[in-house]
Amino acid sequence: MSRRLFPWLIGLSLVFFVVAPILIVRAPLEQEMGLIQKIFYFHFSAWMAMYLGICVLGISSALFLFRRKPAVDRLAVSAAEAAILFGLMGLITGPIWAVKSWGVWWNWDARTTIALILELILVAYLLLRSYGGPGSDRLAAGLGMFAMANLPFLYISTNIWRTIHPPTSVVPTLPVDFGIPLWWSFAGFIVLCLALLTARVRLEEQRATLDRLYLALEDE
Amino acid sequence: MHLGDITGVSREETRRWRRVALVLILIAGLGGPAGQTVDAAQPAEQSVPDGFVPMDDVPAEEQLPAAPLLAAAYIVVWVLAIGYLWTIWRRLGSVEKELAEALRRVGETDGA
């Protein structure tokens, strides 16, 4: 299924990503931040794609722990990699925005710190999968669920802790002129995340097939 | 045994450095009260600030340009996405090559 879906998803994401800069250029300048605010359209969307990746990771990890189906484990490891990628995009574009708006590259406030910790948890997940040895898939599944449990804290951090990061109320109250490029970019990142997930799952499926073949060869 | 025998510094040189250190200590000791006298002579309104003073309005020439930062942010996103897709494609190619080889070996074993 992933083989058939991938061309459609990557083609669709390409359409979104080609049109997005046009919409972003046409969007009005923000009164206080000016031009640099336009990073927001990709920055926010990258974090939302990371949220999606972590949700897929958490749910598939839980399913793997309770049902022990290898297919969901393959989905979990693919989602973890995608989440790291989009988290990295957020962690790089954020400081670029911050250096202009706040005057510093990094601010150890609740939102940025939790985001960094979450990224490190995902890296730990992949390290565990790569070097943990036998049984590490179940340990990693626990870590994947723990990563998902951190998501609500990341989301509400700007509302409950004192921080200079824009609060969550910014997005629902956006004027239409700002909203169109934002939701267009958001859709592009979600479709790109799904495209990367399908490609990565395909890689895991092929690896599993190869392992089965090697085992069959050893038996003979 | 003299320390200079080990370090290669002569006795004469050691004495000279001792004298320099003594003069420096004397200057430092006399400089404290002398400095206080100078400070007392300063008018109160011309006092030197303790540290850096923040400026509210940053002049235009001191501000970071937004356009290159914005372009850098978008380039980073594109490079990361394309780079990651390329790594998947490369890994998939490698696994599929290995898979084809394994399938060939299975076919040979079945044939034999």
Side-chain angles (χ1 to χ4, degrees):
Chain A
M1 192 177 117
S2 58
R3 198 175 189 175
R4 277 174 295 168
L5 264 178
F6 178 73
W8 291 100
L9 289 171
I10 202 72
L12 192 58
S13 67
L14 199 64
V15 170
F16 276 116
F17 274 84
V18 166
V19 176
I22 301 165
L23 296 176
I24 290 166
V25 166
R26 284 185 176 180
L29 290 176
E30 203 276 329
Q31 196 177 16
E32 282 184 23
M33 287 180 274
L35 191 62
I36 202 73
Q37 177 270 342
K38 287 175 186 277
I39 287 182
F40 170 66
Y41 303 113
F42 271 25
H43 177 72
F44 168 83
S45 306
W47 282 122
M48 290 298 111
M50 187 218 198
Y51 277 36
L52 174 68
I54 292 178
C55 285
V56 173
L57 165 68
I59 293 166
S60 48
S61 294
L63 282 173
F64 177 67
L65 276 181
F66 299 118
R67 301 259 174 96
R68 299 283 163 85
K69 286 187 177 174
V72 285
D73 184 46
R74 291 198 286 268
L75 182 61
V77 73
S78 308
E81 256 191 37
I84 286 179
L85 174 81
F86 290 107
L88 198 60
M89 286 177 186
L91 284 174
I92 294 174
T93 53
I96 295 174
W97 185 1
V99 75
K100 179 71 182 164
S101 320
W102 301 342
V104 287
W105 287 97
W106 186 261
N107 182 349
W108 291 102
D109 76 357
R111 170 61 69 88
T112 52
T113 308
I114 296 175
L116 179 65
I117 290 170
L118 200 49
E119 184 79 357
L120 293 175
I121 290 171
L122 294 171
V123 172
Y125 175 92
L126 284 190
L127 287 174
L128 190 57
R129 292 300 303 249
S130 303
Y131 305 106
S136 63
D137 48 356
R138 274 177 285 161
L139 278 174
L143 196 57
M145 287 169 66
F146 177 71
M148 194 173 78
N150 272 284
L151 269 191
F153 296 104
L154 178 62
Y155 186 74
I156 60 165
S157 56
T158 51
N159 302 339
I160 56 173
W161 283 290
R162 191 180 295 166
T163 167
I164 56 171
H165 196 281
T168 52
S169 58
V170 167
V171 174
T173 55
L174 268 184
V176 179
D177 290 345
F178 290 114
I180 291 169
L182 175 71
W183 294 115
W184 183 270
S185 304
F186 169 82
F189 272 82
I190 295 298
V191 175
L192 177 67
C193 181
L194 294 174
L196 294 175
L197 263 180
T198 52
R200 188 62 184 76
V201 166
R202 170 87 182 145
L203 174 62
E204 284 300 311
E205 284 171 352
Q206 294 293 73
R207 278 180 178 164
T209 310
L210 187 62
D211 286 345
R212 280 197 302 273
L213 268 176
Y214 278 142
L215 281 174
L217 277 170
E218 276 178 20
D219 288 343
E220 286 170 9
Chain B
M1 187 182 175
H2 182 249
L3 189 66
D5 298 339
I6 303 164
T7 58
V9 181
S10 68
R11 279 171 195 272
E12 185 56 38
E13 211 168 343
T14 311
R15 274 196 217 106
R16 196 187 309 141
W17 281 112
R18 275 186 192 153
R19 278 198 292 275
V20 169
L22 190 66
V23 169
L24 284 174
I25 289 164
L26 282 171
I27 288 170
L30 290 171
Q36 281 171 10
T37 314
V38 170
D39 284 347
Q42 290 283 331
E45 63 269 18
Q46 286 183 4
S47 62
V48 180
D50 292 336
F52 298 131
V53 179
M55 184 166 54
D56 291 331
D57 298 316
V58 183
E61 68 273 11
E62 292 286 332
Q63 289 177 9
L64 282 172
L69 290 171
L70 182 67
Y74 282 98
I75 288 168
V76 161
V77 168
W78 278 89
V79 167
L80 283 177
I82 293 168
Y84 180 63
L85 199 56
W86 178 75
T87 65
I88 294 178
W89 175 75
R90 213 169 60 109
R91 284 183 283 176
L92 197 57
S94 165
V95 169
E96 281 181 346
K97 197 174 159 188
E98 220 174 319
L99 196 60
E101 176 62 25
L103 278 171
R104 192 187 58 77
R105 278 170 57 194
V106 168
E108 277 175 8
T109 317
D110 287 346

